Amino acid sequence: MEKYIKPFVDASVGVFSSMVGLSVTVGRPYLCEINSPHEWDISGVIGLTGQARGAVVLSMKKDLALSITTALTEKAQQEINEDVVDAVGELINIIAGNAKKGLESDFKLVISLPTIVEGPKHRIAWPLEQTRIICIPFTTGDGNEFWLSVALESQQGA
């Protein structure tokens, strides 16, 4: 399982460093329950299909989303708005795209367009209840946290 998670971790670290200018520390990945409690305010969701199927979700609190968007747009953000939604969508799109490249030797994947879910303590409805969801916590250099959740199930028996 670790080799399937590593491309997502590497992509997340790279995107936050190069696009947002934030160094991040990767926490210990863990299996999370579909209805695990959380404190997220916004999530970007990308569906995965092809030789494997599932989803990858980038989730964070409002303050980090505003800070990221401010860094990307060079315009101070006060509330979750269209710019913030676009920024979170772009981040998850690039993370999923880069991870897809890292998985090409194992799976041919197609990624969907990003969908954004917002609101305090929102819930993600995962596509497959039997799929294990791996949650990967990250902490930015300034102490903010975000999570990347990955559910990936092989369609080829791998």
Side-chain angles (χ1 to χ4, degrees):
M1 181 56 85
E2 182 178 320
K3 75 176 188 172
Y4 300 128
I5 297 304
K6 185 171 177 14
F8 292 99
V9 170
D10 292 346
S12 298
V13 170
V15 165
F16 273 79
S17 174
S18 65
M19 285 186 64
V20 187
L22 287 174
S23 62
V24 297
T25 303
V26 183
R28 182 182 173 107
Y30 61 94
L31 287 174
C32 57
E33 299 294 324
I34 288 176
N35 293 314
S36 294
H38 61 78
E39 297 294 325
W40 312 323
D41 294 313
I42 188 165
S43 294
V45 181
I46 293 267
L48 305 167
T49 60
Q51 292 177 324
R53 66 180 179 166
V56 58
V57 179
L58 174 67
S59 302
M60 63 190 69
K61 294 178 184 177
K62 177 182 172 181
D63 290 345
L64 181 57
L66 297 177
S67 174
I68 287 168
T69 306
T70 296
L72 293 173
T73 63
E74 298 180 349
K75 189 170 77 177
Q77 303 294 321
Q78 304 300 319
E79 292 297 325
I80 293 178
N81 57 29
E82 189 175 308
D83 288 339
V84 176
V85 167
D86 287 348
V88 172
E90 187 63 20
L91 287 176
I92 189 60
N93 194 38
I94 294 170
I95 289 169
N98 288 347
K100 176 186 164 198
K101 289 178 194 169
L103 291 167
E104 283 180 344
S105 64
D106 296 303
F107 302 113
K108 299 296 182 230
L109 294 173
V110 176
I111 61 174
S112 70
L113 293 173
T115 299
I116 304 301
V117 182
E118 64 177 287
K121 300 183 181 184
H122 60 269
R123 180 179 172 271
I124 302 296
W126 289 89
L128 306 169
E129 286 196 29
Q130 71 273 19
T131 300
R132 292 182 299 174
I133 303 164
I134 307 296
C135 292
I136 309 161
F138 292 85
T139 304
T140 64
D142 58 2
N144 285 301
E145 297 177 323
F146 66 94
W147 297 262
L148 195 73
S149 303
V150 180
L152 191 62
E153 180 180 69
S154 171
Q155 296 298 292
Q156 56 189 9

